[in-house]
């Protein structure tokens, strides 16, 4: 899902009210976890980031870095359109739900798996910038912004860094696919693209 740090209360109410009732009940909207997320987004308060554990890919992530850009892009409709395009292209390089995961260890090492291919490296998280630097054994370090909330997070990359990591991770990467992703990434200046992840608690 797309994310944005500063969201007004009206935007939250609008976003929740347009969802089908069966998809999101009143109980779901106002449970403690969702209230906490809404309050954190409004006040700018951040949860402590805990990367340690196994994280499963759930879909593409999109973030517009400013509310002005979000309005210019057409808001949620544009975000969903970009996500759908990204999901299609990521699937072409083997990145789709059930086939990709990250595991971050306490000793600052990590592994990422795409299909049957597992790669390892080291990582470091900078709390002041909110970014994690990933360094694969055969790849120069690349950084991603971390949006984190209650067992879910998004790893968001600038266009060039996303292409770099896709070319390395995607066993089925092709120039055509990478060019398409590059084109999507350049649709709006200031748009970050990446991966939505959910923590595996089992």
């Amino acid at each position: 899902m797309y994310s944005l740090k500063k969201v007004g209360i009206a935007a939250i109410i609008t976003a929740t009210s347009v969802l089908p009732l069966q998809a999101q009940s009143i109980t779901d909207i106002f449970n403690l976890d969702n209230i906490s997320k809404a309050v954190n987004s409004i006040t700018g308060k951040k949860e402590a980031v805990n990367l340690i554990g196994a994280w499963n890919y759930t879909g593409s992530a999109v973030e517009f870095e400013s509310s002005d850009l979000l309005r210019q892009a057409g808001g949620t409709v544009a975000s969903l359109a970009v996500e759908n395009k990204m999901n299609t292209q990521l699937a072409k390089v083997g990145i789709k739900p059930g086939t990709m995961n990250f595991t971050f260890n306490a000793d600052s090492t990590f592994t990422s798996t795409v299909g049957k291919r597992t790669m390892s490296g080291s990582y470091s998280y900078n709390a002041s910038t909110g970014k994690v630097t990933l360094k694969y054994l055969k790849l120069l370090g690349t950084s991603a912004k971390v949006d984190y909330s209650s067992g879910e997070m998004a790893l968001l990359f600038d266009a060039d860094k996303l292409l770099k990591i896709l070319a390395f991770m995607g066993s089925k990467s092709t120039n055509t696919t990478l060019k398409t992703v590059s084109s999507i990434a350049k649709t709006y200046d200031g748009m970050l693209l990446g991966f939505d992840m959910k923590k595996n608690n089992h």
Side-chain angles (χ1 to χ4, degrees):
M1 65 179 68
Y2 80 92
S3 54
L4 189 63
K5 280 184 177 179
K6 297 181 180 178
V7 181
I9 294 176
I12 295 174
I13 293 173
T14 301
T16 56
S17 64
V18 297
L19 294 176
L21 183 60
Q22 63 268 30
Q24 188 168 17
S25 68
I26 295 299
T27 301
D28 292 332
I29 294 171
F30 291 102
N31 69 34
L32 291 177
D33 183 44
N34 287 332
I35 289 174
S36 174
K37 290 179 181 179
V39 171
N40 288 345
S41 66
I42 294 167
T43 63
K45 178 183 176 183
K46 291 184 178 180
E47 293 184 48
V49 174
N50 179 14
L51 296 179
I52 298 173
W55 298 83
N56 299 321
Y57 171 77
T58 59
S60 64
V62 177
E63 178 173 300
F64 293 95
E65 293 191 282
S66 73
S67 57
D68 286 341
L69 178 58
L70 182 62
R71 285 193 294 270
Q72 291 169 18
T76 303
V77 174
S79 299
L80 292 176
V82 173
E83 282 185 359
N84 288 335
K85 291 178 181 178
M86 282 297 298
N87 286 336
T88 299
Q89 297 306 316
L90 292 178
K92 289 181 179 180
V93 298
I95 297 175
K96 50 189 175 182
T99 66
M100 174 183 169
N101 63 71
F102 278 80
T103 299
F104 294 94
N105 304 309
D107 63 357
S108 297
T109 62
F110 78 96
T111 58
S112 63
T113 300
V114 179
K116 296 181 180 180
R117 185 183 183 192
T118 298
M119 295 145 285
S120 60
S122 60
Y123 75 95
S124 61
Y125 176 72
N126 187 324
S128 63
T129 63
K131 293 186 176 182
V132 61
T133 297
L134 307 174
K135 187 173 183 180
Y136 288 94
L137 297 182
K138 297 180 180 180
L139 182 71
L140 294 176
T142 185
S143 62
K145 179 182 177 184
V146 177
D147 277 357
Y148 179 94
S149 176
S150 300
E152 298 179 358
M153 73 170 173
L155 297 178
L156 295 152
F157 301 84
D158 293 326
D160 57 336
K161 293 177 181 177
L162 176 65
L163 293 173
K164 186 178 181 181
I165 200 168
L166 288 182
F168 181 75
M169 293 177 61
S171 59
K172 301 176 183 178
S173 295
T174 65
N175 286 334
T176 299
T177 300
L178 294 178
K179 285 180 179 179
T180 301
V181 172
S182 178
S183 177
I184 294 171
K186 292 177 180 177
T187 303
Y188 303 103
D189 290 331
M191 181 175 67
L192 302 178
L193 299 171
F195 315 125
D196 263 334
M197 313 288 290
K198 187 169 185 177
K199 198 166 192 177
N200 184 352
N201 294 317
H202 299 292

